[in-house]
Amino acid sequence: MFRLDGKVAIVTGGSRGIGRAVAEALAGQGAFVVVNYVRGEEEAKKTVAAIEAKGGKAEAVAFDVSDMAATEAAVADIAKRHGRLDILVANAGIAIDNLVLRVKDDELDRLFAVNVKGSLAAAKAAIKVMMRAKTGRIVFLSSIVGEAGNAGQAGYAATKAALIGVTKTLAKEYASRNITVNAVAPGFIDTDMTTQIPGDMKTAMLQSIPLGRTGRSEEVAAAVTFLSSDESSYVTGEVLRVNGGMLM
């Protein structure tokens, strides 16, 4: 089940963390994976090397999702070179935390440029290819804070909530072309981002998780893999929570 043999996938922000886990999971199911990055070339190459070491196929391609023209050109080139584009995982994102009274204009601009505009740019470019093929899978990476909120993350939460609205809208717009659009909303996952959380705050978070532990990037990747597969063909416009019961 969930095999992706012969399919081509793009994972934005695929050089580390959840993006890397998703890239490896899709490749493990047979997809050719394009690992997108902006500045983390070495990390992207490590992701490709890890995939190839397991017998998978991948390449690293640099483009900034917040640049719509560059994103559209890169996606079009990828589809032309490989003859198809079946899966887009819009994972690239940043977090800038601040209380709302301290949030700066440039922080909000950067958050929305990458998390929202960047995801829309990648989706727009991918949809152009997928419409011609009359099939495709798009998965956005949202977050538990997009649904539940979190103190000190007003800007970040706004961007992740926006992606849920985008998911449902695009699902309605392109269902007739057999393009499904879904989102995955991770909870407290062990990544570079969460390792910076102070110990007392981390303890409080763990107490709020019914399963009593943090999640792993591979567990998020498993959800993305399902939504990228043929087995999810009747699932669209959904937000799949991967949070250990932290939000139900």
Side-chain angles (χ1 to χ4, degrees), residues 71-93:
T71 299
E72 187 164 344
V75 171
D77 178 66
I78 290 165
K80 182 178 180 179
R81 286 191 293 106
H82 295 287
R84 60 191 298 161
L85 174 60
D86 305 277
I87 301 160
L88 167 71
V89 181
N91 167 77

PDB file of all heavy atoms in Angstrom, residues 71-93:
ATOM      1  N   THR A  71       9.780  30.415  -8.361  1.00  0.00           N
ATOM      2  CA  THR A  71       9.138  29.147  -8.020  1.00  0.00           C
ATOM      3  C   THR A  71       8.423  28.553  -9.216  1.00  0.00           C
ATOM      4  O   THR A  71       8.543  27.361  -9.513  1.00  0.00           O
ATOM      5  CB  THR A  71       8.142  29.345  -6.861  1.00  0.00           C
ATOM      6  OG1 THR A  71       8.848  29.817  -5.706  1.00  0.00           O
ATOM      7  CG2 THR A  71       7.427  28.048  -6.510  1.00  0.00           C
ATOM      8  N   GLU A  72       7.692  29.391  -9.930  1.00  0.00           N
ATOM      9  CA  GLU A  72       6.970  28.911 -11.108  1.00  0.00           C
ATOM     10  C   GLU A  72       7.937  28.387 -12.169  1.00  0.00           C
ATOM     11  O   GLU A  72       7.699  27.334 -12.774  1.00  0.00           O
ATOM     12  CB  GLU A  72       6.114  30.035 -11.695  1.00  0.00           C
ATOM     13  CG  GLU A  72       5.197  29.566 -12.811  1.00  0.00           C
ATOM     14  CD  GLU A  72       4.093  30.562 -13.127  1.00  0.00           C
ATOM     15  OE1 GLU A  72       3.841  31.456 -12.307  1.00  0.00           O
ATOM     16  OE2 GLU A  72       3.469  30.413 -14.197  1.00  0.00           O
ATOM     17  N   ALA A  73       9.044  29.099 -12.366  1.00  0.00           N
ATOM     18  CA  ALA A  73      10.033  28.669 -13.357  1.00  0.00           C
ATOM     19  C   ALA A  73      10.681  27.353 -12.945  1.00  0.00           C
ATOM     20  O   ALA A  73      10.880  26.453 -13.777  1.00  0.00           O
ATOM     21  CB  ALA A  73      11.100  29.745 -13.535  1.00  0.00           C
ATOM     22  N   ALA A  74      11.007  27.220 -11.663  1.00  0.00           N
ATOM     23  CA  ALA A  74      11.657  26.001 -11.178  1.00  0.00           C
ATOM     24  C   ALA A  74      10.742  24.794 -11.288  1.00  0.00           C
ATOM     25  O   ALA A  74      11.158  23.717 -11.730  1.00  0.00           O
ATOM     26  CB  ALA A  74      12.102  26.197  -9.730  1.00  0.00           C
ATOM     27  N   VAL A  75       9.483  24.959 -10.886  1.00  0.00           N
ATOM     28  CA  VAL A  75       8.534  23.846 -10.945  1.00  0.00           C
ATOM     29  C   VAL A  75       8.284  23.436 -12.392  1.00  0.00           C
ATOM     30  O   VAL A  75       8.222  22.236 -12.711  1.00  0.00           O
ATOM     31  CB  VAL A  75       7.218  24.223 -10.236  1.00  0.00           C
ATOM     32  CG1 VAL A  75       6.148  23.154 -10.476  1.00  0.00           C
ATOM     33  CG2 VAL A  75       7.450  24.405  -8.739  1.00  0.00           C
ATOM     34  N   ALA A  76       8.138  24.413 -13.272  1.00  0.00           N
ATOM     35  CA  ALA A  76       7.927  24.107 -14.691  1.00  0.00           C
ATOM     36  C   ALA A  76       9.112  23.342 -15.264  1.00  0.00           C
ATOM     37  O   ALA A  76       8.949  22.387 -16.038  1.00  0.00           O
ATOM     38  CB  ALA A  76       7.692  25.397 -15.474  1.00  0.00           C
ATOM     39  N   ASP A  77      10.311  23.734 -14.877  1.00  0.00           N
ATOM     40  CA  ASP A  77      11.522  23.061 -15.358  1.00  0.00           C
ATOM     41  C   ASP A  77      11.590  21.631 -14.843  1.00  0.00           C
ATOM     42  O   ASP A  77      11.949  20.714 -15.594  1.00  0.00           O
ATOM     43  CB  ASP A  77      12.754  23.835 -14.908  1.00  0.00           C
ATOM     44  CG  ASP A  77      14.049  23.149 -15.329  1.00  0.00           C
ATOM     45  OD1 ASP A  77      14.310  23.078 -16.548  1.00  0.00           O
ATOM     46  OD2 ASP A  77      14.778  22.656 -14.439  1.00  0.00           O
ATOM     47  N   ILE A  78      11.243  21.440 -13.567  1.00  0.00           N
ATOM     48  CA  ILE A  78      11.256  20.100 -12.989  1.00  0.00           C
ATOM     49  C   ILE A  78      10.275  19.197 -13.733  1.00  0.00           C
ATOM     50  O   ILE A  78      10.601  18.057 -14.096  1.00  0.00           O
ATOM     51  CB  ILE A  78      10.895  20.159 -11.486  1.00  0.00           C
ATOM     52  CG1 ILE A  78      12.037  20.813 -10.701  1.00  0.00           C
ATOM     53  CG2 ILE A  78      10.597  18.761 -10.930  1.00  0.00           C
ATOM     54  CD1 ILE A  78      11.656  21.241  -9.298  1.00  0.00           C
ATOM     55  N   ALA A  79       9.076  19.702 -13.966  1.00  0.00           N
ATOM     56  CA  ALA A  79       8.059  18.914 -14.659  1.00  0.00           C
ATOM     57  C   ALA A  79       8.482  18.595 -16.094  1.00  0.00           C
ATOM     58  O   ALA A  79       8.251  17.480 -16.597  1.00  0.00           O
ATOM     59  CB  ALA A  79       6.729  19.670 -14.665  1.00  0.00           C
ATOM     60  N   LYS A  80       9.135  19.557 -16.744  1.00  0.00           N
ATOM     61  CA  LYS A  80       9.582  19.340 -18.124  1.00  0.00           C
ATOM     62  C   LYS A  80      10.687  18.293 -18.175  1.00  0.00           C
ATOM     63  O   LYS A  80      10.670  17.388 -19.018  1.00  0.00           O
ATOM     64  CB  LYS A  80      10.079  20.659 -18.716  1.00  0.00           C
ATOM     65  CG  LYS A  80      10.523  20.546 -20.166  1.00  0.00           C
ATOM     66  CD  LYS A  80      10.965  21.898 -20.714  1.00  0.00           C
ATOM     67  CE  LYS A  80      11.408  21.778 -22.168  1.00  0.00           C
ATOM     68  NZ  LYS A  80      11.824  23.101 -22.721  1.00  0.00           N
ATOM     69  N   ARG A  81      11.646  18.396 -17.263  1.00  0.00           N
ATOM     70  CA  ARG A  81      12.778  17.459 -17.274  1.00  0.00           C
ATOM     71  C   ARG A  81      12.363  16.039 -16.945  1.00  0.00           C
ATOM     72  O   ARG A  81      12.913  15.067 -17.483  1.00  0.00           O
ATOM     73  CB  ARG A  81      13.842  17.914 -16.268  1.00  0.00           C
ATOM     74  CG  ARG A  81      14.633  19.129 -16.729  1.00  0.00           C
ATOM     75  CD  ARG A  81      15.836  19.400 -15.853  1.00  0.00           C
ATOM     76  NE  ARG A  81      15.476  19.810 -14.496  1.00  0.00           N
ATOM     77  CZ  ARG A  81      15.590  19.056 -13.421  1.00  0.00           C
ATOM     78  NH1 ARG A  81      16.052  17.802 -13.520  1.00  0.00           N
ATOM     79  NH2 ARG A  81      15.260  19.516 -12.222  1.00  0.00           N
ATOM     80  N   HIS A  82      11.383  15.892 -16.050  1.00  0.00           N
ATOM     81  CA  HIS A  82      10.973  14.554 -15.609  1.00  0.00           C
ATOM     82  C   HIS A  82       9.695  14.065 -16.296  1.00  0.00           C
ATOM     83  O   HIS A  82       9.273  12.922 -16.081  1.00  0.00           O
ATOM     84  CB  HIS A  82      10.790  14.537 -14.094  1.00  0.00           C
ATOM     85  CG  HIS A  82      12.065  14.779 -13.340  1.00  0.00           C
ATOM     86  ND1 HIS A  82      13.057  13.830 -13.244  1.00  0.00           N
ATOM     87  CD2 HIS A  82      12.524  15.878 -12.675  1.00  0.00           C
ATOM     88  CE1 HIS A  82      14.071  14.322 -12.539  1.00  0.00           C
ATOM     89  NE2 HIS A  82      13.771  15.559 -12.192  1.00  0.00           N
ATOM     90  N   GLY A  83       9.101  14.946 -17.098  1.00  0.00           N
ATOM     91  CA  GLY A  83       7.933  14.531 -17.864  1.00  0.00           C
ATOM     92  C   GLY A  83       6.634  14.498 -17.094  1.00  0.00           C
ATOM     93  O   GLY A  83       5.592  14.151 -17.656  1.00  0.00           O
ATOM     94  N   ARG A  84       6.680  14.906 -15.820  1.00  0.00           N
ATOM     95  CA  ARG A  84       5.461  14.859 -15.010  1.00  0.00           C
ATOM     96  C   ARG A  84       5.712  15.476 -13.638  1.00  0.00           C
ATOM     97  O   ARG A  84       6.856  15.678 -13.227  1.00  0.00           O
ATOM     98  CB  ARG A  84       4.987  13.420 -14.827  1.00  0.00           C
ATOM     99  CG  ARG A  84       6.010  12.522 -14.123  1.00  0.00           C
ATOM    100  CD  ARG A  84       5.617  11.067 -14.204  1.00  0.00           C
ATOM    101  NE  ARG A  84       4.352  10.808 -13.530  1.00  0.00           N
ATOM    102  CZ  ARG A  84       3.607   9.711 -13.757  1.00  0.00           C
ATOM    103  NH1 ARG A  84       4.031   8.809 -14.630  1.00  0.00           N
ATOM    104  NH2 ARG A  84       2.471   9.535 -13.110  1.00  0.00           N
ATOM    105  N   LEU A  85       4.640  15.754 -12.939  1.00  0.00           N
ATOM    106  CA  LEU A  85       4.702  16.162 -11.537  1.00  0.00           C
ATOM    107  C   LEU A  85       3.426  15.670 -10.886  1.00  0.00           C
ATOM    108  O   LEU A  85       2.329  16.107 -11.224  1.00  0.00           O
ATOM    109  CB  LEU A  85       4.818  17.682 -11.383  1.00  0.00           C
ATOM    110  CG  LEU A  85       4.749  18.199  -9.936  1.00  0.00           C
ATOM    111  CD1 LEU A  85       5.872  17.605  -9.105  1.00  0.00           C
ATOM    112  CD2 LEU A  85       4.806  19.720  -9.913  1.00  0.00           C
ATOM    113  N   ASP A  86       3.565  14.744  -9.951  1.00  0.00           N
ATOM    114  CA  ASP A  86       2.411  14.101  -9.342  1.00  0.00           C
ATOM    115  C   ASP A  86       2.092  14.605  -7.946  1.00  0.00           C
ATOM    116  O   ASP A  86       0.927  14.594  -7.523  1.00  0.00           O
ATOM    117  CB  ASP A  86       2.663  12.587  -9.262  1.00  0.00           C
ATOM    118  CG  ASP A  86       3.007  12.007 -10.617  1.00  0.00           C
ATOM    119  OD1 ASP A  86       2.077  11.725 -11.382  1.00  0.00           O
ATOM    120  OD2 ASP A  86       4.206  11.841 -10.903  1.00  0.00           O
ATOM    121  N   ILE A  87       3.133  15.007  -7.212  1.00  0.00           N
ATOM    122  CA  ILE A  87       2.969  15.332  -5.795  1.00  0.00           C
ATOM    123  C   ILE A  87       3.718  16.606  -5.451  1.00  0.00           C
ATOM    124  O   ILE A  87       4.874  16.779  -5.835  1.00  0.00           O
ATOM    125  CB  ILE A  87       3.520  14.183  -4.915  1.00  0.00           C
ATOM    126  CG1 ILE A  87       2.804  12.870  -5.219  1.00  0.00           C
ATOM    127  CG2 ILE A  87       3.418  14.528  -3.427  1.00  0.00           C
ATOM    128  CD1 ILE A  87       3.584  11.631  -4.780  1.00  0.00           C
ATOM    129  N   LEU A  88       3.040  17.486  -4.727  1.00  0.00           N
ATOM    130  CA  LEU A  88       3.703  18.643  -4.143  1.00  0.00           C
ATOM    131  C   LEU A  88       3.451  18.629  -2.644  1.00  0.00           C
ATOM    132  O   LEU A  88       2.300  18.583  -2.204  1.00  0.00           O
ATOM    133  CB  LEU A  88       3.169  19.959  -4.712  1.00  0.00           C
ATOM    134  CG  LEU A  88       3.607  21.206  -3.916  1.00  0.00           C
ATOM    135  CD1 LEU A  88       5.099  21.474  -4.118  1.00  0.00           C
ATOM    136  CD2 LEU A  88       2.776  22.415  -4.280  1.00  0.00           C
ATOM    137  N   VAL A  89       4.520  18.670  -1.885  1.00  0.00           N
ATOM    138  CA  VAL A  89       4.409  18.824  -0.433  1.00  0.00           C
ATOM    139  C   VAL A  89       4.974  20.205  -0.102  1.00  0.00           C
ATOM    140  O   VAL A  89       6.176  20.431  -0.172  1.00  0.00           O
ATOM    141  CB  VAL A  89       5.176  17.730   0.330  1.00  0.00           C
ATOM    142  CG1 VAL A  89       4.995  17.928   1.843  1.00  0.00           C
ATOM    143  CG2 VAL A  89       4.684  16.350  -0.083  1.00  0.00           C
ATOM    144  N   ALA A  90       4.070  21.138   0.237  1.00  0.00           N
ATOM    145  CA  ALA A  90       4.470  22.504   0.554  1.00  0.00           C
ATOM    146  C   ALA A  90       4.837  22.576   2.033  1.00  0.00           C
ATOM    147  O   ALA A  90       4.002  22.866   2.889  1.00  0.00           O
ATOM    148  CB  ALA A  90       3.341  23.475   0.221  1.00  0.00           C
ATOM    149  N   ASN A  91       6.090  22.289   2.293  1.00  0.00           N
ATOM    150  CA  ASN A  91       6.581  22.184   3.668  1.00  0.00           C
ATOM    151  C   ASN A  91       7.414  23.383   4.110  1.00  0.00           C
ATOM    152  O   ASN A  91       7.525  23.657   5.300  1.00  0.00           O
ATOM    153  CB  ASN A  91       7.423  20.905   3.787  1.00  0.00           C
ATOM    154  CG  ASN A  91       8.221  20.870   5.064  1.00  0.00           C
ATOM    155  OD1 ASN A  91       7.715  20.603   6.150  1.00  0.00           O
ATOM    156  ND2 ASN A  91       9.525  21.140   4.965  1.00  0.00           N
ATOM    157  N   ALA A  92       8.004  24.112   3.164  1.00  0.00           N
ATOM    158  CA  ALA A  92       8.900  25.207   3.518  1.00  0.00           C
ATOM    159  C   ALA A  92       8.194  26.215   4.426  1.00  0.00           C
ATOM    160  O   ALA A  92       7.081  26.653   4.138  1.00  0.00           O
ATOM    161  CB  ALA A  92       9.401  25.901   2.258  1.00  0.00           C
ATOM    162  N   GLY A  93       8.840  26.547   5.531  1.00  0.00           N
ATOM    163  CA  GLY A  93       8.238  27.500   6.447  1.00  0.00           C
ATOM    164  C   GLY A  93       9.246  27.999   7.466  1.00  0.00           C
ATOM    165  O   GLY A  93      10.295  27.387   7.676  1.00  0.00           O
TER     166      GLY A  93
END
